[in-house]
Amino acid sequence: QEIIKEWGTKGSGPGEFNVPHCLAFDSKGRLFACDRANNRIQIFDQDGKFLDQWAQFSRPSGIFIDKHDMIYVVDSESNANHPGWKRGMRIGSAKDGTVMAFIPDPQQNPQGTSAAEGVAVDSKGTVYGAEVGPKDLKKYVQK
């Protein structure tokens, strides 16, 4: 394998990272990069040009974008590492960044990392969360 391109340095400015944690592409080919310790998602084109940053999804540990540009962002560390925010999964639009739903961390008052760090969604809209701390997999279905 050959490295074709790289970008970013350590920091908190646009295009800089502090604990990059996950990646996903939307239907337009934009790259969504979870910049966990900076409590944001950064959005780039495929050449590395910075396009935008979103903080409304909290402290992102995992991300999934479906074919309809619904974005699923899991946050396994808020409260202790991002005061005032709740751990869980935020679901919204990758088109405009609107957050439409929240699935809370199933543990109340967790110690350490909890909630999902990995997320996937099947064609029926069933959401799967991979929990590193509890070493568990949760399945969420719509009622």
Side-chain angles (χ1 to χ4, degrees):
Q1 301 253 330
E2 176 185 345
I3 295 176
I4 298 171
K5 186 169 186 79
E6 63 182 73
W7 66 85
T9 58
K10 184 169 175 63
S12 59
E16 298 176 340
F17 298 96
N18 190 1
V19 189
H21 213 263
C22 49
L23 303 168
F25 288 99
D26 71 358
S27 66
K28 296 178 183 175
R30 297 181 303 169
L31 177 63
F32 287 63
C34 296
D35 187 11
R36 185 160 81 171
N38 284 322
N39 303 314
R40 66 183 177 182
I41 295 170
Q42 295 194 70
I43 305 169
F44 301 90
D45 70 13
Q46 290 185 25
D47 291 319
K49 178 184 173 196
F50 175 82
L51 302 173
D52 203 355
Q53 63 184 5
W54 293 347
Q56 66 270 32
F57 289 93
S58 192
R59 188 175 177 87
S61 297
I63 188 171
F64 182 87
I65 301 173
D66 72 14
K67 67 181 180 179
H68 304 291
D69 283 331
M70 290 297 295
I71 185 171
Y72 301 78
V73 181
V74 291
D75 171 357
S76 64
E77 292 190 346
S78 278
N79 298 351
N81 292 307
H82 194 202
W85 289 78
K86 293 183 178 183
R87 295 177 189 200
M89 191 176 311
R90 288 167 180 82
I91 302 168
S93 170
K95 294 176 183 176
D96 64 11
T98 302
V99 177
M100 299 176 226
F102 179 70
I103 300 171
D105 183 344
Q107 294 186 32
Q108 292 196 5
N109 304 315
Q111 299 295 324
T113 298
S114 68
E117 286 207 19
V119 61
V121 182
D122 69 19
S123 61
K124 296 176 185 172
T126 303
V127 179
Y128 298 85
E131 298 179 347
V132 174
K135 297 174 180 51
D136 202 359
L137 179 66
K138 296 280 193 304
K139 178 179 178 181
Y140 300 94
V141 295
Q142 293 182 356
K143 291 184 177 182

